[in-house]
Amino acid sequence: MKPSCKCILPLVSVLLLSASGTTSISILNNFLKCLTANSEVYIPFSNFYTPNNPSFLSVLESSAQNLRYLVPSMPKPEFIFTPLTESHLQAAVICSRYLRIHLRVRSGGHDYEGLSYVSQIETPFFLLDLAELRSIEVDINNKTAWVQAGATIGELYYRISEKSNIHGFAAGLCPSVGVGGHITGGGYGTMMRKYGLAADNVVDARIVDTRGRILDREAMGEDLFWAIRGGGGGSFGIILAWKVKLVPVPETVTVFTVSKTLEQGATKILYKWQQVADKLDEHLFIRVIIKLANAGPKGKRTVTTSYNALFLGDAERLLQVMHKKFPELGLTRNDCIEKSWIKSVLYIAGYSNYTEPEILLEERSLFKSYFKAKSDFVKEPIAETVLEGLWEMLLEGHDPEMIWNPYGGMMSKISEYEIPFPHRKGNLFKIQYLNGWKDGDNRTATKHIEGIRRIYDYMAPYVSMFPRAAYVNYRDLDLGMNKKCNTSYIEAATWGVKYFKENFNRLVRVKINVDPGNLFRHEQSIPPVPVGLEHSTA
């Protein structure tokens, strides 16, 4: 997967036909003619799926995680194309541009608002699914790996572990997340306090630009290379592959999960966690998973707080750290499980202790649901009285869940301007709000979505302000959406500043330079509009 700068052959015999007003068959036929003229490699028809194809829905649903965006009322692509080669992908970009057919690009399908495979603001569109572009080349001697965008982070972890038991990569907790999109938003995981985000550990990339060229870091320039590492997916081009820096891990790491209910003093323990979590040894990551369970006296409904952790070291050293800095949790040797790093990946992901790492090679997650998510960043400890009010709201809700992820360590040492991801020094932890349900009924969805919004509203005085920050990999359309044809800087900034703070301005400038025609766009893509000006971005 050697980096290069490569331009596709000149466009030949292209039928310049707008997609509007044409049938699905004519859209696909024109697209096929264009692809044939512009791909250096033969494209089998079997890699196209239309709604009339028996495999269409299974391919569409294959990696989509949020079932809200697969209900019949959601717009569906005119067709799905799964390119087999980089040349196929280059040709697809050229044809999308010249035929004016809107495209969405999916690597792993974990986009929380389905933006990688659903367009609610613009039809017709087609889906470019990168599932077949998933090669991984690990170079232990140079401590790097090239990984194509369609691979999952679980596959990357496994391939690294095949070569070495003392190397890893600092990326996400969910193994089925696609590498392509994960890193574009930053990508955090259990080693973030030691090594930073996945995007902090990228040293090169290959991207297809609006003209169908493949650019590496040198060819794209440092501004674009900066933008794609944390500026969110779907705005600047299509990521083909990342070159990532491997990080050292010990042969033995330690994991634990300790749960406390309200009746076991959960409120006071969580208040202490807020005071120490960002200041603990940077080798230690302790997140808190907050949910409801029938775990109170006589099976009473109560709130449980589960402290789920990875320590890059052995149990003896971990216990020393915990007894000194966080004795309130009451961690014991029996709570601690020593594992290899690759086995810790499985543990944190929720697999049983008997699961073998080969499960990471399974392409797609089986854990799918209808859900709504939101996010916050916290700069000051939240008082116990506020937590007690939060518990009341959770107990009145419909199975909401919260995950609190600690910051500090390396996250406080990297400048907020180093990459577009700005949430660094001064943040104690990040909150993820989740509410899931089991059916596609609109009334059920409304009930759960309104519930999570009420909890989010309750938390407003106790989280970051001006802006109330959010994590771009937890897309949230409640924050605002682009319009199909007219988006102003002011409108886009309502969500853009929450995700990127001051870095949003630089992202807009990069967008203007590399994609002024806004080929790569979606409901929350970076718009190519100067400050204060409104004009067409379609």
Side-chain angles (χ1 to χ4, degrees), residues 184-408:
T184 63
Y188 79 91
T190 56
M191 295 197 290
M192 62 185 281
R193 302 189 65 249
K194 176 63 177 176
Y195 297 116
L197 305 173
D200 293 322
N201 291 280
V202 169
V203 295
D204 204 343
R206 288 162 57 81
I207 185 173
V208 179
D209 73 356
T210 60
R211 294 164 59 186
R213 300 176 300 175
I214 296 178
L215 309 176
D216 63 6
R217 178 176 183 172
E218 181 179 3
M220 75 178 77
E222 289 303 303
D223 278 349
L224 180 53
F225 185 64
W226 174 86
I228 62 177
R229 293 174 296 142
S235 290
F236 304 102
I238 299 175
I239 300 296
L240 276 175
W242 300 103
K243 185 179 183 181
V244 300
K245 177 175 62 178
L246 307 187
V247 300
V249 297
E251 291 186 18
T252 300
V253 303
T254 307
V255 294
F256 69 80
T257 302
V258 173
S259 297
K260 301 291 183 180
T261 64
L262 297 185
E263 294 76 14
Q264 295 170 325
T267 304
K268 289 187 178 299
I269 296 172
L270 185 60
Y271 182 67
K272 181 58 183 290
W273 175 90
Q274 295 180 79
Q275 296 172 309
V276 303
D278 69 309
K279 303 173 186 67
L280 292 171
D281 188 311
E282 64 184 13
H283 295 82
L284 177 57
F285 172 93
I286 309 176
R287 64 173 178 166
V288 188
I289 302 170
I290 303 170
K291 58 173 61 175
L292 302 181
N294 297 321
K298 298 181 180 180
K300 176 186 174 184
R301 194 78 158 158
T302 189
V303 176
T304 66
T305 57
S306 296
Y307 295 81
N308 182 231
L310 169 70
F311 179 66
L312 298 172
D314 60 31
E316 182 179 353
R317 173 63 183 144
L318 168 61
L319 288 168
Q320 292 173 1
V321 171
M322 291 294 289
H323 290 164
K324 182 178 180 180
K325 298 292 186 180
F326 192 21
E328 292 81 359
L329 188 60
L331 185 71
T332 69
R333 180 62 181 85
N334 288 337
D335 297 319
C336 302
I337 307 170
E338 294 183 333
K339 293 176 174 286
S340 64
W341 174 76
I342 193 65
K343 287 290 188 72
S344 78
V345 168
L346 299 174
Y347 178 89
I348 295 294
Y351 290 101
S352 76
N353 287 327
Y354 305 103
T355 305
E356 293 300 321
E358 283 70 24
I359 199 170
L360 298 174
L361 298 178
E362 295 185 7
E363 297 180 4
R364 301 298 174 223
S365 170
L366 299 177
F367 306 110
K368 301 185 179 187
S369 67
Y370 302 85
F371 70 88
K372 173 64 181 176
K374 302 179 79 67
S375 61
D376 263 321
F377 289 86
V378 179
K379 295 179 177 292
E380 299 288 341
I382 299 170
E384 291 182 36
T385 53
V386 177
L387 294 178
E388 290 167 355
L390 175 61
W391 307 150
E392 292 179 7
M393 295 202 70
L394 294 179
L395 288 166
E396 292 171 358
H398 303 281
D399 293 318
E401 181 176 342
M402 299 173 75
I403 303 175
W404 294 16
N405 291 287
Y407 272 56

Side-chain angles (χ1 to χ4, degrees), residues 42-59:
Y42 170 72
I43 303 175
F45 188 73
S46 59
N47 287 84
F48 291 86
Y49 305 88
T50 66
N52 294 326
N53 187 308
S55 300
F56 177 81
L57 285 179
S58 64
V59 173

